[in-house]
Amino acid sequence: EVQLVESGGGLVQAGGSLRLSCAAFGSTFDAYHIAWFHKAPGKEREGVSCISGIDGKISYDESVKGRFTISSDNAKNTVYLQMNSLKPEDTGVYYCAAASPDYGCSVYSMYNHWGQGTQVTVSS
């Protein structure tokens, strides 16, 4: 079973950038879809971006399109989320998750392997 470990969160001013990393252990990314989720304070966790390990297709939620970029390094078994032009509403815990590629990667309800999360705080 794949295990996921996120890193790269922190405190940044609005307009700044962060890069999150999601390292996989116990399996390789090419057997899964990988997604990043955002849990804002007081809100439910929501999918923001995903990448298919099968065909490399990528999807973004409208709230991050043009600002966030997801990428993968198969040699390092790591998926990244480059976050630019950060806004205070991007504050929250970011989780990476994995799912068997039964559907498209943006079917966020199917993700069932989770990392522990990393905190991102964007100050205004």
Side-chain angles (χ1 to χ4, degrees):
E1 180 173 310
V2 66
Q3 294 181 326
L4 305 170
V5 179
E6 302 97 331
S7 61
L11 172 64
V12 64
Q13 289 186 332
S17 299
L18 283 173
R19 188 177 79 157
L20 307 183
S21 299
C22 173
F25 302 91
S27 186
T28 56
F29 276 139
D30 58 7
Y32 295 91
H33 292 326
I34 301 296
W36 284 98
F37 288 75
H38 172 218
K39 188 181 185 314
K43 296 186 177 181
E44 293 188 355
R45 187 164 53 189
E46 297 181 337
V48 297
S49 184
C50 63
I51 183 167
S52 169
I54 304 303
D55 55 17
K57 287 185 177 178
I58 287 172
S59 179
Y60 297 100
D61 184 79
E62 285 297 325
S63 64
V64 305
K65 200 172 288 186
R67 300 188 299 123
F68 291 10
T69 303
I70 192 169
S71 62
S72 65
D73 184 335
N74 289 346
K76 295 182 178 180
N77 224 28
T78 299
V79 170
Y80 303 97
L81 186 68
Q82 178 67 43
M83 305 188 295
N84 298 330
S85 302
L86 282 162
K87 305 175 181 180
E89 51 263 45
D90 296 319
T91 292
V93 181
Y94 284 77
Y95 299 87
C96 72
S100 296
D102 298 328
Y103 304 98
C105 78
S106 60
V107 179
Y108 291 114
S109 59
M110 68 178 172
Y111 286 83
N112 57 359
H113 302 280
W114 295 89
Q116 82 287 354
T118 185
Q119 175 71 41
V120 170
T121 303
V122 184
S123 63
S124 58

